[in-house]
Amino acid sequence: MCGRFFLVPDLHELLALLDAMPEGIDDLRGPRWNIPPTMPIVVMRPGDAGPRSLAPARWGLVPTWWRDPDKLPSFHNARAETAATKPSFRGAVRYRRVIIPATGFYEWDRARGRTPFSITRSDGDVMAFAGIGTVYSKGPHVLETAAILTVDASPAMRGTHDRMPVILERDAWDAWTDPRASVDDAMAWCTPKPEGLDVVEVGTGVNNARNTDGRWFESAIAPVAAEDGP
DNA sequence: CCAGACGTTGTT
DNA sequence: GTCTGG
DNA sequence: CCAGACGTTGTT
DNA sequence: GTCTGG
């Protein structure tokens, strides 16, 4: 679940939407219609710039003990039910809970030949995935990394998939990323968003991560608009 | 003790 | 089938 | 997540 | 690094 997402706003817009400050980013072009694992993303968490610092990261958590910096793993999801006890994730759960902003994410119906769907918030607000992160440091290179937590899908989403990312409401953002919160409390906040999501079929152009222009939304937003001749 | 794994998704 | 690249 | 490669020799 | 399996 949640192996591809999109983020429309540029840095300036995103900082305003999140009420955040930049840390180590001076440019983020939007829109980014097709973000796959291992690619650069941004995470929000307490930092040098304030309680909601927005920093660059790699999507695909790298455990701090990982040996080979030339072959990094891609742990792009972590199960919320078990992350707190897994050797690869528990340090991140305890010390580095982050928020990954998105406009929405994609899912595929494999029973229909990998038909893609987009999932967005019905209220149009920015989507805040609950994530966990590490700072992977090997030699001269320092890399912030992150994974998105998943839970069983809400009944409303079960027709789309059996798992879904944890989506935090705005009033939970700061509590989630506060390292003083207990792990028990934090994991109790990992519940499926029960409603308020729009699922829309989009074009198969999204399937190939090299396609980044978002044209697959044309058919979704304005379907069958081609018959308007004079 | 040392060696080896350490993760998710989906599909069969 | 499995790994890499996007 | 999906798409696409998956190999060697030698030469440029 | 830390846990599990042998």
Side-chain angles (χ1 to χ4, degrees):
Chain A
M1 246 9 37
C2 204
R4 204 79 73 83
F5 68 92
F6 55 106
L7 179 65
V8 170
D10 65 16
L11 179 61
H12 179 75
E13 296 163 330
L14 191 61
L15 291 171
L17 289 170
L18 298 170
D19 189 21
M21 295 291 287
E23 176 180 322
I25 305 189
D26 49 28
D27 185 41
L28 172 69
R29 257 173 282 260
R32 298 179 65 200
W33 291 111
N34 209 348
I35 305 173
T38 73
M39 286 291 106
I41 59 170
V42 291
V43 296
M44 182 170 69
R45 36 85 179 141
D48 297 341
R52 289 182 299 282
S53 295
L54 196 70
R58 172 195 194 256
W59 186 17
L61 185 146
V62 179
T64 52
W65 46 261
W66 193 262
R67 289 187 185 82
D68 186 355
D70 295 324
K71 286 177 61 177
L72 297 178
S74 177
F75 299 158
H76 58 275
N77 291 151
R79 296 177 65 89
E81 302 90 325
T82 55
T85 61
K86 297 287 186 184
S88 291
F89 296 145
R90 63 179 182 187
V93 169
R94 177 159 179 197
Y95 297 113
R96 209 169 182 93
R97 293 184 300 271
V98 304
I99 283 169
I100 297 163
T103 302
F105 60 101
Y106 300 109
E107 297 288 3
W108 280 265
D109 182 357
R110 298 169 84 119
R112 287 213 287 136
R114 288 193 165 81
T115 299
F117 294 81
S118 80
I119 297 91
T120 52
R121 291 185 63 104
S122 308
D123 62 12
D125 200 358
V126 63
M127 193 173 274
F129 296 134
I132 55 177
T134 64
V135 178
Y136 178 70
S137 181
K138 202 79 173 174
H141 301 295
V142 178
L143 184 68
E144 181 157 358
T145 77
I148 296 170
L149 293 172
T150 64
V151 288
D152 276 335
S154 63
M157 282 293 295
R158 232 161 258 160
T160 306
H161 261 301
D162 60 344
R163 303 283 295 173
M164 68 185 287
V166 176
I167 298 166
L168 297 175
E169 301 305 317
R170 187 173 288 265
D171 61 10
W173 291 358
D174 288 350
W176 170 256
T177 57
D178 187 341
R180 295 167 302 184
S182 78
V183 168
D184 284 350
D185 285 347
M187 299 324 283
W189 300 329
C190 290
T191 57
K193 181 172 168 59
E195 54 192 356
L197 294 176
D198 290 346
V199 181
V200 175
E201 182 175 337
V202 296
T204 53
V206 69
N207 292 19
N208 193 327
R210 301 175 124 92
N211 297 333
T212 57
D213 61 19
R215 263 180 297 186
W216 42 88
F217 276 105
E218 290 175 9
S219 60
I221 291 166
V224 217
E227 306 304 323
D228 291 44

